[in-house]
Coordinates of all heavy atoms in Angstrom, one line a residue:
M25 N 0.9 -1.2 0.0 CA 0.0 0.0 0.0 C 0.9 1.2 0.0 O 1.8 1.4 0.9 CB -0.9 0.0 1.2 CG -1.7 1.3 1.4 SD -2.7 1.2 2.9 CE -4.1 0.3 2.3
S26 N 0.7 2.1 -1.0 CA 1.5 3.3 -1.0 C 0.8 4.5 -0.4 O -0.4 4.4 -0.2 CB 1.9 3.7 -2.5 OG 0.7 3.9 -3.2
V27 N 1.5 5.5 0.0 CA 0.9 6.6 0.7 C 1.1 7.9 -0.1 O 2.1 8.2 -0.7 CB 1.6 6.8 2.1 CG1 1.0 8.1 2.8 CG2 1.4 5.6 2.9
E28 N 0.0 8.7 -0.2 CA 0.1 10.0 -0.9 C -0.4 11.1 0.1 O -1.3 10.8 0.9 CB -0.8 10.0 -2.1 CG -0.3 9.3 -3.3 CD -1.1 9.5 -4.5 OE1 -2.0 10.4 -4.6 OE2 -0.9 8.7 -5.5
W29 N 0.2 12.3 0.0 CA -0.1 13.4 0.9 C -1.1 14.3 0.1 O -0.8 14.7 -1.0 CB 1.1 14.1 1.3 CG 2.0 13.3 2.1 CD1 3.1 12.6 1.7 CD2 1.8 13.0 3.5 NE1 3.6 11.9 2.8 CE2 2.9 12.2 3.9 CE3 0.9 13.4 4.5 CZ2 3.1 11.7 5.2 CZ3 1.1 13.0 5.8 CH2 2.1 12.1 6.1
G30 N -2.3 14.6 0.7 CA -3.2 15.4 0.1 C -2.9 16.9 0.1 O -3.3 17.6 -0.8
M31 N -2.0 17.4 1.0 CA -1.6 18.8 1.0 C -0.1 19.0 0.9 O 0.4 20.0 1.4 CB -2.2 19.4 2.3 CG -3.7 19.5 2.4 SD -4.4 20.6 1.1 CE -3.9 22.2 1.6
G32 N 0.6 18.0 0.5 CA 2.1 18.1 0.4 C 2.7 18.0 1.8 O 2.0 17.7 2.8
T33 N 3.9 18.2 1.9 CA 4.6 18.1 3.2 C 5.0 19.4 3.8 O 5.8 19.5 4.7 CB 5.9 17.2 3.0 OG1 6.7 17.8 2.0 CG2 5.5 15.8 2.7
E34 N 4.5 20.5 3.3 CA 4.8 21.8 3.9 C 4.4 22.0 5.3 O 4.8 22.9 6.0 CB 4.3 23.0 3.0 CG 2.7 23.1 2.9 CD 2.1 22.2 1.8 OE1 2.9 21.6 1.1 OE2 0.9 22.2 1.7
T35 N 3.5 21.2 5.8 CA 3.0 21.2 7.2 C 4.0 20.6 8.1 O 3.9 20.7 9.3 CB 1.6 20.5 7.3 OG1 1.8 19.2 6.9 CG2 0.5 21.2 6.5
G36 N 4.9 19.8 7.6 CA 5.9 19.1 8.4 C 5.5 17.7 8.8 O 6.3 17.1 9.5
V37 N 4.3 17.3 8.5 CA 3.8 16.1 9.0 C 4.5 14.9 8.3 O 4.6 14.9 7.1 CB 2.2 15.9 8.8 CG1 1.7 14.6 9.2 CG2 1.5 17.0 9.6
K38 N 4.9 13.9 9.0 CA 5.6 12.8 8.5 C 4.9 11.5 9.0 O 4.4 11.5 10.1 CB 7.1 12.7 8.9 CG 7.9 13.9 8.4 CD 9.3 13.8 8.9 CE 9.4 14.9 9.9 NZ 10.3 15.1 10.9
M39 N 5.1 10.4 8.2 CA 4.5 9.1 8.6 C 5.7 8.1 8.6 O 6.4 8.1 7.7 CB 3.4 8.7 7.7 CG 2.8 7.4 8.2 SD 1.3 6.9 7.2 CE 2.0 5.6 6.3
E40 N 5.8 7.4 9.7 CA 6.8 6.3 9.8 C 6.2 5.0 10.2 O 5.4 5.0 11.1 CB 7.8 6.7 10.9 CG 8.7 7.9 10.6 CD 9.6 7.7 9.4 OE1 10.1 6.5 9.2 OE2 9.9 8.6 8.7
P41 N 6.4 3.9 9.4 CA 7.0 3.8 8.1 C 6.1 4.4 7.0 O 4.9 4.4 7.2 CB 7.3 2.3 8.0 CG 6.3 1.6 8.8 CD 6.0 2.6 9.9
M42 N 6.6 4.7 5.9 CA 5.8 5.3 4.8 C 5.1 4.2 4.0 O 4.4 4.6 3.1 CB 6.8 6.1 3.9 CG 7.0 7.5 4.3 SD 5.5 8.5 4.3 CE 5.2 8.7 2.6
E43 N 5.4 2.9 4.2 CA 4.7 1.9 3.3 C 4.3 0.8 4.2 O 4.8 0.5 5.2 CB 5.8 1.4 2.3 CG 5.2 0.6 1.2 CD 6.2 0.3 0.1 OE1 7.0 -0.6 0.4 OE2 6.2 1.0 -0.8
A44 N 3.1 0.2 3.9 CA 2.5 -0.9 4.5 C 2.5 -2.1 3.6 O 2.1 -2.0 2.5 CB 1.1 -0.6 5.0
K45 N 3.1 -3.2 4.0 CA 3.2 -4.4 3.2 C 2.4 -5.6 3.9 O 2.7 -5.8 5.0 CB 4.6 -4.8 2.9 CG 5.4 -3.8 2.1 CD 6.7 -4.3 1.7 CE 7.4 -3.2 0.9 NZ 8.7 -3.6 0.4
F46 N 1.5 -6.2 3.1 CA 0.7 -7.3 3.6 C 0.8 -8.4 2.6 O 1.0 -8.2 1.4 CB -0.7 -6.9 3.7 CG -1.0 -5.8 4.7 CD1 -1.1 -4.5 4.2 CD2 -1.2 -6.0 6.0 CE1 -1.4 -3.4 5.1 CE2 -1.5 -5.0 6.9 CZ -1.6 -3.7 6.4
S47 N 0.8 -9.6 3.1 CA 0.8 -10.8 2.2 C -0.5 -11.5 2.2 O -1.1 -11.8 3.3 CB 1.9 -11.7 2.7 OG 1.9 -12.9 1.9
A48 N -1.0 -11.9 1.1 CA -2.2 -12.7 1.0 C -2.1 -14.1 1.5 O -3.1 -14.8 1.7 CB -2.7 -12.7 -0.5
A49 N -0.9 -14.6 1.6 CA -0.6 -15.9 2.1 C -1.1 -16.2 3.5 O -1.4 -17.3 3.9 CB 0.9 -16.3 1.9
V50 N -1.1 -15.1 4.3 CA -1.6 -15.2 5.7 C -3.0 -14.9 5.8 O -3.5 -13.9 5.3 CB -0.7 -14.3 6.6 CG1 -1.1 -14.4 8.0 CG2 0.8 -14.5 6.4
G51 N -3.8 -15.8 6.4 CA -5.3 -15.6 6.5 C -5.7 -14.7 7.6 O -4.9 -14.4 8.5
G52 N -6.9 -14.2 7.6 CA -7.4 -13.4 8.7 C -7.0 -11.9 8.7 O -6.4 -11.5 7.7
F53 N -7.2 -11.2 9.8 CA -6.8 -9.8 9.9 C -5.3 -9.7 10.1 O -4.6 -10.5 10.7 CB -7.4 -9.2 11.2 CG -8.7 -8.6 11.0 CD1 -9.9 -9.2 11.3 CD2 -8.8 -7.4 10.4 CE1 -11.1 -8.6 11.1 CE2 -10.0 -6.8 10.1 CZ -11.2 -7.4 10.5
R54 N -4.7 -8.7 9.5 CA -3.3 -8.3 9.7 C -3.3 -6.8 10.0 O -4.0 -6.1 9.4 CB -2.4 -8.7 8.5 CG -2.3 -10.2 8.4 CD -1.7 -10.7 7.1 NE -2.3 -10.2 5.9 CZ -3.4 -10.6 5.3 NH1 -4.1 -11.5 5.9 NH2 -3.8 -10.1 4.2
F55 N -2.4 -6.4 10.9 CA -2.4 -5.1 11.3 C -1.0 -4.4 11.0 O 0.0 -5.1 11.0 CB -2.6 -4.9 12.8 CG -4.0 -5.3 13.2 CD1 -4.3 -6.6 13.6 CD2 -5.0 -4.4 13.2 CE1 -5.6 -7.0 14.0 CE2 -6.3 -4.8 13.5 CZ -6.6 -6.1 13.9
S56 N -1.0 -3.1 10.7 CA 0.2 -2.3 10.5 C 0.0 -1.0 11.3 O -1.1 -0.4 11.2 CB 0.4 -2.1 9.1 OG 1.5 -1.3 8.8
H57 N 0.9 -0.6 12.1 CA 0.8 0.6 12.9 C 1.8 1.6 12.4 O 3.0 1.3 12.1 CB 1.0 0.3 14.4 CG 0.1 -0.7 14.9 ND1 -1.2 -0.4 15.2 CD2 0.2 -2.0 15.1 CE1 -1.8 -1.5 15.6 NE2 -1.0 -2.5 15.6
H58 N 1.4 2.9 12.2 CA 2.2 3.9 11.7 C 2.1 5.1 12.6 O 1.0 5.4 13.1 CB 1.8 4.3 10.3 CG 1.8 3.1 9.4 ND1 2.9 2.8 8.6 CD2 1.0 2.1 9.1 CE1 2.7 1.7 7.9 NE2 1.5 1.3 8.2
K59 N 3.2 5.9 12.8 CA 3.2 7.1 13.6 C 3.2 8.3 12.7 O 4.0 8.4 11.8 CB 4.5 7.2 14.4 CG 4.6 6.0 15.4 CD 3.7 6.2 16.6 CE 3.9 5.1 17.6 NZ 2.9 5.0 18.6
L60 N 2.2 9.2 12.9 CA 2.2 10.5 12.3 C 2.6 11.5 13.2 O 2.2 11.6 14.4 CB 0.7 10.8 11.8 CG 0.1 9.9 10.8 CD1 -1.4 10.0 10.7 CD2 0.7 10.3 9.4
S61 N 3.6 12.4 12.9 CA 4.2 13.3 13.8 C 4.8 14.5 13.0 O 4.9 14.4 11.7 CB 5.3 12.7 14.7 OG 6.3 12.2 13.9
G62 N 5.4 15.5 13.7 CA 6.1 16.5 13.1 C 5.4 17.8 12.7 O 5.9 18.6 11.9
A63 N 4.1 17.9 13.1 CA 3.4 19.1 12.7 C 4.0 20.4 13.3 O 4.4 20.4 14.4 CB 1.9 19.0 13.2
K64 N 4.0 21.4 12.4 CA 4.5 22.7 12.9 C 3.5 23.5 13.6 O 3.8 24.4 14.5 CB 5.0 23.5 11.7 CG 6.2 22.8 10.9 CD 6.5 23.6 9.7 CE 7.6 22.8 8.9 NZ 7.9 23.4 7.6
E65 N 2.2 23.2 13.3 CA 1.1 23.8 14.0 C 0.0 22.8 14.1 O 0.1 21.8 13.4 CB 0.6 25.1 13.3 CG 0.3 24.9 11.9 CD 0.0 26.2 11.2 OE1 0.7 27.1 11.3 OE2 -1.1 26.2 10.5
K66 N -1.1 23.0 14.8 CA -2.2 22.1 14.9 C -2.8 21.9 13.5 O -3.2 22.9 12.8 CB -3.3 22.6 15.9 CG -4.4 21.6 16.0 CD -5.4 22.1 17.1 CE -6.5 21.2 17.2 NZ -7.5 21.6 18.3
V67 N -2.9 20.7 13.0 CA -3.5 20.4 11.7 C -4.5 19.3 11.8 O -4.5 18.5 12.8 CB -2.4 19.9 10.7 CG1 -1.4 21.0 10.4 CG2 -1.7 18.7 11.2
G68 N -5.5 19.3 10.9 CA -6.5 18.3 10.8 C -6.0 17.2 9.8 O -5.4 17.5 8.8
L69 N -6.4 16.0 10.1 CA -6.0 14.8 9.2 C -7.3 14.1 8.8 O -8.2 13.9 9.6 CB -5.1 13.8 10.0 CG -3.8 14.3 10.6 CD1 -3.2 13.3 11.4 CD2 -2.9 14.8 9.5
K70 N -7.3 13.7 7.5 CA -8.4 12.8 7.0 C -7.7 11.7 6.2 O -6.9 12.0 5.3 CB -9.3 13.6 6.1 CG -10.4 12.7 5.6 CD -11.4 13.4 4.6 CE -12.5 12.5 4.1 NZ -13.3 13.2 3.2
V71 N -8.0 10.5 6.5 CA -7.3 9.3 5.9 C -8.3 8.6 5.0 O -9.4 8.3 5.4 CB -6.7 8.4 6.9 CG1 -6.0 7.2 6.3 CG2 -5.8 9.1 7.9
K72 N -7.9 8.4 3.7 CA -8.8 7.7 2.8 C -8.0 6.5 2.2 O -6.8 6.5 2.1 CB -9.2 8.7 1.7 CG -10.1 9.8 2.2 CD -10.3 10.9 1.1 CE -11.1 10.3 0.0 NZ -11.4 11.4 -1.1
C73 N -8.7 5.5 1.7 CA -8.1 4.3 1.1 C -8.8 4.0 -0.2 O -10.0 4.3 -0.4 CB -8.3 3.2 2.2 SG -7.5 1.7 1.6
S74 N -8.1 3.3 -1.1 CA -8.6 3.0 -2.4 C -9.5 1.7 -2.3 O -10.2 1.4 -3.3 CB -7.5 2.7 -3.3 OG -6.7 1.6 -2.9
D75 N -9.5 1.0 -1.2 CA -10.4 -0.2 -1.1 C -10.9 -0.4 0.3 O -10.3 -1.0 1.2 CB -9.5 -1.5 -1.5 CG -10.4 -2.7 -1.5 OD1 -11.5 -2.7 -1.1 OD2 -9.8 -3.7 -1.9
N76 N -12.1 0.2 0.6 CA -12.7 0.1 1.9 C -13.2 -1.2 2.3 O -13.6 -1.5 3.4 CB -13.8 1.2 2.1 CG -13.2 2.6 2.1 OD1 -12.1 2.8 2.6 ND2 -13.9 3.5 1.6
R77 N -13.4 -2.1 1.3 CA -13.8 -3.5 1.6 C -12.7 -4.4 2.2 O -13.0 -5.3 3.0 CB -14.3 -4.2 0.4 CG -15.6 -3.6 -0.2 CD -16.1 -4.3 -1.4 NE -17.3 -3.6 -1.9 CZ -17.7 -3.7 -3.1 NH1 -17.0 -4.4 -4.0 NH2 -18.8 -3.1 -3.5
T78 N -11.5 -4.1 1.9 CA -10.3 -4.9 2.4 C -9.7 -4.2 3.6 O -9.2 -5.0 4.4 CB -9.3 -5.0 1.2 OG1 -10.0 -5.6 0.1 CG2 -8.1 -5.9 1.6
Y79 N -9.7 -2.9 3.7 CA -8.9 -2.2 4.7 C -9.8 -1.5 5.7 O -10.9 -1.0 5.4 CB -7.9 -1.2 4.1 CG -6.9 -1.8 3.3 CD1 -7.1 -1.9 1.9 CD2 -5.7 -2.3 3.9 CE1 -6.1 -2.5 1.1 CE2 -4.7 -2.9 3.1 CZ -4.9 -3.0 1.7 OH -4.0 -3.6 1.0
R80 N -9.4 -1.5 7.0 CA -10.1 -0.7 8.0 C -9.0 0.2 8.6 O -7.9 -0.2 9.0 CB -10.6 -1.6 9.2 CG -11.6 -2.7 8.7 CD -12.9 -2.1 8.2 NE -13.8 -3.1 7.8 CZ -14.0 -3.5 6.6 NH1 -13.3 -3.0 5.6 NH2 -14.9 -4.4 6.3
L81 N -9.3 1.5 8.6 CA -8.4 2.5 9.1 C -8.9 3.1 10.4 O -10.0 3.5 10.5 CB -8.2 3.6 8.0 CG -7.8 3.1 6.6 CD1 -8.0 4.3 5.6 CD2 -6.5 2.6 6.6
R82 N -8.0 3.4 11.3 CA -8.3 4.1 12.6 C -7.2 5.0 13.0 O -6.1 4.5 13.1 CB -8.6 3.0 13.7 CG -9.8 2.2 13.5 CD -11.1 2.9 13.7 NE -12.2 2.0 13.6 CZ -13.0 1.9 12.5 NH1 -12.6 2.5 11.4 NH2 -13.9 1.1 12.5
P83 N -7.4 6.2 13.3 CA -8.6 7.0 13.1 C -8.7 7.5 11.6 O -7.7 7.6 10.9 CB -8.4 8.2 14.0 CG -6.9 8.4 14.0 CD -6.3 7.0 13.9
V84 N -9.9 7.7 11.2 CA -10.2 8.3 9.9 C -10.0 9.8 9.9 O -9.4 10.4 9.0 CB -11.6 7.9 9.3 CG1 -11.9 8.5 8.0 CG2 -11.7 6.4 9.2
Y85 N -10.5 10.4 11.0 CA -10.3 11.8 11.2 C -9.6 12.1 12.5 O -9.8 11.3 13.5 CB -11.7 12.5 11.4 CG -12.6 12.4 10.1 CD1 -13.6 11.5 10.1 CD2 -12.4 13.2 9.0 CE1 -14.4 11.3 9.0 CE2 -13.2 13.1 7.9 CZ -14.2 12.1 8.0 OH -15.0 12.0 6.8
S86 N -8.7 13.1 12.5 CA -7.9 13.3 13.8 C -7.3 14.7 13.7 O -7.2 15.3 12.6 CB -6.8 12.3 14.0 OG -6.2 12.5 15.2
Y87 N -6.9 15.2 14.8 CA -6.0 16.4 14.9 C -4.6 16.0 15.3 O -4.5 15.1 16.1 CB -6.6 17.4 15.9 CG -7.9 18.1 15.4 CD1 -9.1 17.7 15.8 CD2 -7.8 19.1 14.4 CE1 -10.3 18.3 15.4 CE2 -8.9 19.7 14.0 CZ -10.2 19.3 14.4 OH -11.3 19.9 14.0
L88 N -3.6 16.7 14.8 CA -2.3 16.5 15.2 C -1.7 17.8 15.7 O -1.6 18.8 15.0 CB -1.4 16.0 14.0 CG 0.0 15.7 14.3 CD1 0.2 14.6 15.4 CD2 0.7 15.2 13.0
E89 N -1.3 17.8 17.0 CA -0.7 18.9 17.7 C 0.8 18.9 17.5 O 1.4 17.9 17.4 CB -1.0 18.9 19.2 CG -2.5 18.8 19.5 CD -3.2 20.2 19.6 OE1 -2.4 21.2 19.6 OE2 -4.4 20.2 19.7
P90 N 1.4 20.1 17.5 CA 2.9 20.2 17.5 C 3.5 19.4 18.7 O 3.0 19.4 19.8 CB 3.2 21.6 17.6 CG 2.0 22.3 17.2 CD 0.9 21.4 17.6
G91 N 4.5 18.6 18.4 CA 5.2 17.8 19.4 C 4.5 16.5 19.8 O 4.9 15.8 20.7
K92 N 3.3 16.2 19.2 CA 2.5 15.0 19.6 C 2.6 14.0 18.4 O 3.0 14.4 17.3 CB 1.1 15.4 19.9 CG 0.9 16.4 20.9 CD 1.2 15.8 22.3 CE 0.9 16.9 23.4 NZ 1.1 16.4 24.7
E93 N 2.1 12.8 18.7 CA 1.9 11.8 17.7 C 0.5 11.3 17.6 O -0.2 11.3 18.6 CB 2.8 10.6 18.0 CG 4.3 10.8 18.0 CD 5.0 9.5 18.3 OE1 4.4 8.6 18.9 OE2 6.2 9.4 17.9
V94 N 0.2 10.8 16.4 CA -1.1 10.1 16.2 C -0.7 8.7 15.6 O 0.1 8.6 14.7 CB -2.0 10.8 15.2 CG1 -3.3 10.0 14.9 CG2 -2.5 12.1 15.8
T95 N -1.3 7.7 16.2 CA -1.0 6.3 15.7 C -2.1 5.9 14.7 O -3.3 5.9 15.1 CB -0.9 5.3 16.8 OG1 0.2 5.6 17.7 CG2 -0.6 3.9 16.3
L96 N -1.7 5.7 13.5 CA -2.6 5.2 12.4 C -2.5 3.7 12.4 O -1.5 3.1 12.2 CB -2.3 5.8 11.1 CG -3.0 5.3 9.9 CD1 -4.5 5.6 10.0 CD2 -2.4 5.9 8.6
T97 N -3.7 3.0 12.6 CA -3.7 1.5 12.5 C -4.4 1.1 11.2 O -5.5 1.6 10.9 CB -4.5 1.0 13.7 OG1 -3.8 1.4 14.9 CG2 -4.5 -0.6 13.7
I98 N -3.8 0.3 10.5 CA -4.3 -0.2 9.2 C -4.6 -1.7 9.4 O -3.6 -2.5 9.7 CB -3.4 0.0 8.0 CG1 -3.0 1.5 7.9 CG2 -4.0 -0.6 6.7 CD1 -1.9 1.7 6.9
A99 N -5.8 -2.1 9.3 CA -6.2 -3.6 9.4 C -6.6 -4.0 8.0 O -7.3 -3.4 7.3 CB -7.3 -3.8 10.4
R100 N -6.0 -5.2 7.6 CA -6.3 -5.7 6.3 C -7.1 -7.1 6.4 O -6.5 -8.0 7.1 CB -5.1 -5.9 5.4 CG -5.4 -6.3 4.0 CD -4.1 -6.5 3.2 NE -4.2 -6.5 1.8 CZ -4.6 -7.6 1.2 NH1 -5.0 -8.7 1.8 NH2 -4.8 -7.5 -0.2
L101 N -8.2 -7.2 5.8 CA -8.9 -8.4 5.7 C -8.3 -9.4 4.7 O -7.5 -8.9 3.9 CB -10.4 -8.2 5.4 CG -11.2 -7.3 6.3 CD1 -12.5 -6.9 5.6 CD2 -11.4 -8.0 7.6
Q102 N -8.6 -10.6 4.8 CA -8.1 -11.6 3.8 C -8.6 -11.3 2.4 O -9.8 -11.1 2.2 CB -8.5 -13.0 4.2 CG -7.8 -14.1 3.4 CD -8.0 -15.4 3.9 OE1 -8.7 -15.6 4.9 NE2 -7.4 -16.4 3.3
A103 N -7.7 -11.1 1.5 CA -8.1 -10.7 0.1 C -6.9 -11.0 -0.8 O -5.7 -11.1 -0.3 CB -8.5 -9.2 0.0
P104 N -7.1 -11.1 -2.1 CA -5.9 -11.3 -3.0 C -4.9 -10.2 -2.9 O -5.3 -9.0 -2.7 CB -6.6 -11.5 -4.4 CG -8.0 -11.7 -4.1 CD -8.3 -11.1 -2.8
D105 N -3.7 -10.5 -3.2 CA -2.6 -9.4 -3.3 C -2.9 -8.5 -4.4 O -3.3 -8.9 -5.5 CB -1.3 -10.0 -3.5 CG -0.6 -10.5 -2.3 OD1 -1.0 -10.1 -1.2 OD2 0.3 -11.4 -2.4
K106 N -2.8 -7.2 -4.1 CA -2.9 -6.1 -5.1 C -2.4 -4.8 -4.5 O -2.1 -4.7 -3.3 CB -4.4 -5.9 -5.5 CG -5.3 -5.5 -4.5 CD -6.7 -5.4 -4.9 CE -7.6 -4.9 -3.8 NZ -8.1 -3.6 -4.1
K107 N -2.1 -3.9 -5.4 CA -1.6 -2.6 -5.0 C -2.8 -1.7 -4.6 O -3.7 -1.6 -5.4 CB -0.7 -1.9 -6.0 CG 0.6 -2.5 -6.1 CD 1.5 -1.7 -7.0 CE 2.9 -2.3 -6.9 NZ 3.9 -1.4 -7.5
D108 N -2.7 -1.1 -3.5 CA -3.7 -0.1 -3.0 C -3.1 1.2 -2.6 O -1.9 1.2 -2.4 CB -4.5 -0.7 -1.8 CG -5.4 -1.9 -2.3 OD1 -6.3 -1.6 -3.1 OD2 -5.1 -3.0 -1.8
K109 N -3.9 2.2 -2.5 CA -3.4 3.5 -2.2 C -4.0 4.1 -0.9 O -5.2 3.9 -0.7 CB -3.7 4.5 -3.3 CG -2.9 5.8 -3.2 CD -3.3 6.8 -4.3 CE -3.4 6.2 -5.6 NZ -3.8 7.2 -6.7
L110 N -3.3 4.7 -0.1 CA -3.7 5.4 1.1 C -3.4 6.9 1.0 O -2.3 7.3 0.6 CB -3.0 4.9 2.4 CG -3.2 5.5 3.7 CD1 -4.6 5.1 4.2 CD2 -2.2 5.1 4.7
V111 N -4.4 7.7 1.1 CA -4.2 9.2 0.9 C -4.5 9.8 2.3 O -5.5 9.6 2.9 CB -5.2 9.8 -0.1 CG1 -5.0 11.3 -0.3 CG2 -5.0 9.1 -1.4
I112 N -3.5 10.7 2.7 CA -3.7 11.4 3.9 C -3.8 12.9 3.6 O -2.9 13.5 3.0 CB -2.5 11.2 4.9 CG1 -2.3 9.7 5.2 CG2 -2.6 12.0 6.1 CD1 -1.1 9.4 5.9
H113 N -5.0 13.5 3.9 CA -5.2 14.9 3.6 C -4.9 15.6 4.9 O -5.3 15.3 6.0 CB -6.7 15.1 3.3 CG -7.1 14.6 2.0 ND1 -6.8 15.2 0.8 CD2 -7.7 13.4 1.7 CE1 -7.3 14.5 -0.2 NE2 -7.8 13.4 0.3
V114 N -4.0 16.6 4.8 CA -3.6 17.4 5.9 C -4.0 18.9 5.6 O -3.7 19.5 4.6 CB -2.0 17.4 6.1 CG1 -1.5 18.2 7.2 CG2 -1.5 15.9 6.2
A115 N -4.7 19.5 6.6 CA -5.1 20.9 6.5 C -5.0 21.6 7.8 O -5.0 21.1 8.8 CB -6.6 20.9 6.1

């Protein structure tokens, strides 16, 4: 799953790690946890995905304060391997 930024990186927000990799060989739910941090000022976040049937994202909406972190959890249901996209809108 690749990540795109809806408002560019001028806000200073970063995500670690920048990529989530899942394998279809493993059944059931698989989770990936990512840290969003580095905001220069308080910003709002909206997270969107290209396949809402396969992925569950938490939180979908959030605020990020300077010096704080938000943990983004991506859960993937069992499905065939394919490339998907995650978009993070920062405002």
Side-chain angles (χ1 to χ4, degrees):
M25 171 181 278
S26 64
V27 177
E28 288 186 11
W29 295 97
M31 294 296 290
T33 56
E34 65 271 359
T35 59
V37 177
K38 295 177 250 159
M39 185 172 103
E40 294 292 330
M42 275 297 288
E43 196 171 80
K45 294 185 180 187
F46 299 95
S47 173
V50 180
F53 270 103
R54 288 167 315 278
F55 293 93
S56 180
H57 301 282
H58 303 266
K59 300 285 185 192
L60 293 162
S61 63
K64 297 174 185 173
E65 57 186 47
K66 183 177 179 178
V67 294
L69 303 171
K70 180 181 179 183
V71 183
K72 296 170 69 177
C73 182
S74 61
D75 186 353
N76 290 327
R77 292 182 182 155
T78 303
Y79 296 95
R80 303 294 183 261
L81 307 170
R82 295 286 184 264
V84 176
Y85 300 100
S86 185
Y87 287 103
L88 181 58
E89 303 272 351
K92 303 285 183 181
E93 291 184 338
V94 172
T95 299
L96 173 63
T97 301
I98 303 169
R100 187 181 194 281
L101 299 168
Q102 188 171 3
D105 276 341
K106 63 186 183 107
K107 286 193 174 191
D108 291 296
K109 190 184 323 180
L110 177 74
V111 178
I112 302 172
H113 293 278
V114 181

